[in-house]
Amino acid sequence: MPNILLALNWKMNKTPSEARAWAEELSTALPQTSAQLAVLAPAIDLVDVASALKGTPVQCGAQDISAHESGAYTGEISAAMLSDIGAKYAIVGHSERREYHAETSQKVAQKAAAALAGGIVPIVCVGEGLDIREKGEHVAYTVAQLQDSLEQLSLSSAAQLVVAYEPIWAIGTGKTATAQDAEDMAAALRQELRSLYPAHADQIQILYGGSVKPANIAEICAQPNVNGALVGGASLEVASVVDMAAALR
Ligand code: 13P
């Protein structure tokens, strides 16, 4: 079974000075936990966060990554740039980027491949909206989204992949999927991963995201196919991160 990953997505929150203060506070408050922690910070915060967390077991990463290696791509950040500052992860295909930046699964697949080629672990996000859930089509929809979002990935690079299931109706709404909902989808995604990458599928971390907080994280992450959480709102306060890490002990 893969280790549990507690991935913290700050989204567009925290100035560099706030980020530094958070990272310094966390490094002195870290509880004993078996979970790996990773902070996915805004790009402008990352150098400071990486330096404040140096020497701690907490990793850092970006919330997006370029599909390109380098060159004339104004505003983008490459895998090589992230690797150079010691970042480990990049979220790709978060539903907010799919919606507000028109990112298609094809683009997400290119970004995931570029991340892996540059030594960054992509956290590939998938998940359905409320309309699809209400029609009962969520499993087929999300599995197809995963297939499309991984299309460029080689068999061997899949060993480094992380997948996050984030139902859009549960993001920032306080409506968490039940632990059973999370498990049902994670099991379906695992099955798809087994057919795509038989050698690695059982080691790929599948995270759940959507209104995860200290009170519900343990039950969600105890599900057999759920190997961690991708947390938004509850990642902003150090105290709540400490409580979540402690709940995963
Ligand atoms: P919330 O935890 O705020 O619901 O956000 C989930 C999310 O989108 C993490 O990527």
Side-chain angles (χ1 to χ4, degrees), residues 9 11 91 94-96 125 166 170-174 209-212 230-234:
N9 177 8
K11 308 193 179 183
I91 300 175
H94 191 281
S95 59
E96 288 151 15
C125 299
E166 297 207 309
I171 294 178
T173 58
S211 299
V212 174
L230 182 54
V231 183

Side-chain angles (χ1 to χ4, degrees), residues 6-200:
L6 174 53
L8 308 168
N9 177 8
W10 285 352
K11 308 193 179 183
M12 197 175 72
N13 292 291
K14 297 196 188 293
T15 61
S17 25
E18 290 165 347
R20 219 168 23 246
W22 183 102
E24 282 161 6
E25 188 186 341
L26 181 70
S27 55
T28 59
L30 262 184
Q32 282 289 335
T33 178
S34 55
Q36 273 174 260
L37 264 72
V39 187
L40 293 325
I44 197 169
D45 296 345
L46 269 176
V47 171
D48 284 341
V49 169
S51 113
L53 294 175
K54 211 170 185 163
T56 76
V58 184
Q59 304 280 355
C60 68
Q63 298 172 8
D64 181 36
I65 192 168
S66 179
H68 306 283
E69 207 178 313
S70 66
Y73 300 102
T74 301
E76 298 205 11
I77 292 182
S78 71
M81 293 168 186
L82 293 173
S83 281
D84 187 69
I85 62 150
K88 177 168 180 187
Y89 296 98
I91 300 175
V92 296
H94 191 281
S95 59
E96 288 151 15
R97 294 211 55 94
R98 290 178 187 264
E99 182 177 355
Y100 306 133
H101 298 269
E103 282 189 14
T104 59
S105 290
Q106 187 190 27
K107 176 57 85 181
V108 173
Q110 290 164 357
K111 290 185 170 194
L116 286 164
I120 295 292
V121 175
I123 301 176
V124 177
C125 299
V126 292
E128 82 287 355
L130 188 59
D131 52 332
I132 293 165
R133 164 83 39 178
E134 283 174 346
K135 282 191 263 172
E137 293 167 1
H138 46 287
V139 173
Y141 174 91
T142 305
V143 167
Q145 200 183 35
L146 183 71
Q147 275 170 354
D148 293 344
S149 302
L150 298 180
E151 205 156 33
Q152 313 268 329
L153 253 59
S154 67
L155 280 178
S156 59
S157 63
Q160 295 299 314
L161 175 70
V162 177
V163 170
Y165 168 55
E166 297 207 309
I168 295 167
W169 48 270
I171 294 178
T173 58
K175 271 193 214 163
T176 323
T178 64
Q180 192 59 51
D181 288 337
E183 169 59 17
D184 290 348
M185 186 65 81
L189 295 173
R190 178 91 56 205
Q191 195 180 352
E192 178 60 25
L193 290 169
R194 283 200 187 106
S195 72
L196 294 171
Y197 313 112
H200 303 301

